């Protein structure tokens, strides 16, 4: 069993903080360009940032081509790229019409949706998942349903994003054991970036001026969120149990609320904050294994 390293846990927490603040960057980026343009640029930057890491890892690998087949890595990267492209576009559109705090917590629901989707793959779903789903449903009601008993368009898009992210995780779960994770991620970023850029030229009017004006949120989302945070996750998870790691990383939802409040001045009502608490409690419940760690 892995030992819980303070240093590794700190790296994972830094990754969660970067991802939480990235919701602000995504929101601010919409002041300068459309969602397809923003995602296209950020993913291409993210893929480029990972190239040096891919090169170093490939150079150090002693595996044979049969053990890490390039064709499978390419196929997996493209499949993951299609999923993350759809999920991120839904998230980006949703953030345009909701607060970054709500978007962060709604997105985190993928942690609950994944095991529920496991039913279709004939995987056993623990009872705690159904309890967590019920708690999350109440939290979502408090977080998203307004006085007219309707869901805003932005919240609906972010929830759709959470569903697609759950599919993305299942796709990664299928390909990652058979491929190099960093190369897989690099290919998925380039795949999503190319698709989003093509869509931007088809349905939006991207200009060089938009890129220059929104350079700060673009670079943060591309370099920090895609490149740096992903690298921190890879390094941090080496000495931390997966359940503990996912719990730390889910703190991005809390950070998104704080970042939205401090940077953008977006505040949540007491009802919405109560909904955030319930959603976060549901996420923790899903990840809690109920066993004390064994002594090394």
């Amino acid at each position: 069993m892995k030992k819980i390293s303070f240093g590794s846990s700190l790296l994972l927490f830094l990754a969660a903080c970067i991802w939480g603040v990235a919701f602000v960057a995504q929101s601010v980026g919409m002041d300068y360009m459309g969602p397809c343009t923003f995602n296209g640029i950020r993913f291409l930057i993210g893929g480029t940032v990972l190239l040096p890491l891919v090169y170093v890892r490939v150079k150090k690998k002693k595996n044979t081509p049969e053990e890490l087949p390039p064709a499978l890595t390419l196929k997996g990267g493209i499949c993951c790229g299609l999923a993350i492209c759809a999920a991120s576009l839904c998230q980006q559109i949703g953030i345009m019409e909701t607060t970054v705090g709500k978007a962060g917590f709604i997105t985190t629901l993928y942690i609950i949706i994944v095991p529920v989707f496991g039913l279709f793959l004939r995987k056993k779903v623990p009872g705690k998942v159904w309890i967590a789903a019920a708690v999350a449903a109440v939290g979502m009601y408090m977080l998203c349903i307004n006085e007219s008993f309707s869901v805003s368009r932005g919240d609906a898009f972010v929830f759709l994003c959470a569903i697609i992210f759950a599919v993305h995780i299942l796709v990664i779960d299928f390909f990652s054991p058979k491929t190099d994770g960093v190369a897989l991620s690099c290919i998925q970023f380039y795949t999503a970036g190319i698709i989003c850029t093509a869509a931007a030229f088809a349905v939006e009017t991207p200009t060089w001026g938009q890129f220059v004006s929104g350079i700060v949120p673009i670079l943060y989302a591309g370099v920090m969120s895609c490149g740096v945070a992903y690298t921190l996750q890879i390094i941090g998870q080496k000495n931390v149990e997966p359940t503990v790691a996912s719990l730390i990383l889910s703190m991005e939802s809390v950070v998104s609320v704080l970042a939205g409040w401090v940077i953008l001045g977006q505040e949540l009502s007491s009802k919405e904050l109560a909904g955030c608490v319930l959603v976060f409690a549901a996420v923790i419940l899903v990840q809690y294994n109920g066993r004390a760690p064994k002594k090394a």
Side-chain angles (χ1 to χ4, degrees):
M1 176 175 282
K2 297 178 182 177
K3 294 180 180 179
I4 299 178
S5 165
F6 174 77
S8 295
S9 298
L10 180 60
L11 293 179
L12 292 174
F13 180 68
L14 287 176
C17 289
I18 291 173
W19 283 329
V21 178
F23 282 96
V24 173
Q26 291 174 245
S27 178
V28 174
M30 293 300 91
D31 294 336
Y32 306 100
M33 64 197 76
C36 294
T37 302
F38 183 85
N39 275 342
I41 298 174
R42 72 177 281 214
F43 283 134
L44 291 178
I45 292 176
T48 303
V49 169
L50 284 180
L51 280 178
L53 184 58
V54 172
Y55 174 76
V56 171
R57 287 172 66 87
V58 170
K59 192 174 181 180
K60 290 184 178 180
K61 284 286 185 182
K62 296 181 180 179
N63 304 79
T64 64
E66 288 74 24
E67 292 174 316
L68 287 176
L72 186 61
T73 302
L74 178 62
K75 179 181 178 181
I78 293 174
C79 290
C80 291
L82 292 172
I84 199 173
C85 175
S88 297
L89 281 176
C90 287
Q91 185 183 62
Q92 203 64 39
I93 294 171
I95 287 177
M96 294 171 62
E97 302 181 29
T98 189
T99 65
V100 297
K102 291 172 70 175
F105 274 92
I106 296 172
T107 301
T108 311
L109 284 173
Y110 65 78
I111 297 175
I112 298 173
I113 299 172
V114 167
V116 173
F117 275 3
L119 283 175
F120 299 97
L121 301 176
R122 297 182 180 179
K123 293 183 179 181
K124 183 178 180 181
V125 179
K128 65 180 181 181
V129 172
W130 300 115
I131 298 175
V135 173
V138 176
M140 283 287 289
Y141 176 85
M142 300 178 71
L143 190 59
C144 302
I145 303 298
N146 54 33
E147 290 77 8
S148 60
F149 292 96
S150 62
V151 181
S152 74
R153 181 172 177 268
D155 292 342
F157 265 102
V158 178
F159 182 66
L160 179 59
C161 145
I163 294 175
I164 302 175
F165 266 132
V167 174
H168 176 248
I169 290 174
L170 293 175
V171 174
I172 289 180
D173 182 64
F174 177 79
F175 284 103
S176 61
K178 310 163 188 175
T179 60
D180 180 85
V182 181
L184 190 74
S185 183
C186 184
I187 294 172
Q188 78 164 352
F189 285 149
Y190 274 119
T191 299
I194 292 172
I195 294 174
C196 288
T197 300
F201 281 102
V203 301
E204 298 173 358
T205 54
T207 64
W208 179 252
Q210 293 175 349
F211 174 75
V212 174
S213 300
I215 188 66
V216 174
I218 287 175
L219 286 179
Y220 185 91
V223 177
M224 297 299 293
S225 181
C226 293
V228 176
Y230 182 82
T231 304
L232 290 176
Q233 181 188 15
I234 293 174
I235 299 173
Q237 283 195 216
K238 288 183 178 180
N239 298 309
V240 178
E241 283 292 325
T243 300
V244 177
S246 59
L247 176 59
I248 297 173
L249 291 173
S250 69
M251 289 296 292
E252 67 173 299
S253 59
V254 178
V255 176
S256 69
V257 171
L258 295 176
W261 173 54
V262 173
I263 301 175
L264 301 179
Q266 295 179 344
E267 297 182 359
L268 298 178
S269 66
S270 56
K271 173 174 170 286
E272 291 172 333
L273 285 173
C276 290
V277 171
L278 288 177
V279 170
F280 191 60
V283 169
I284 293 176
L285 177 60
V286 169
Q287 298 167 2
Y288 180 66
N289 58 20
R291 297 190 303 268
K294 297 178 182 179
K295 293 183 179 180

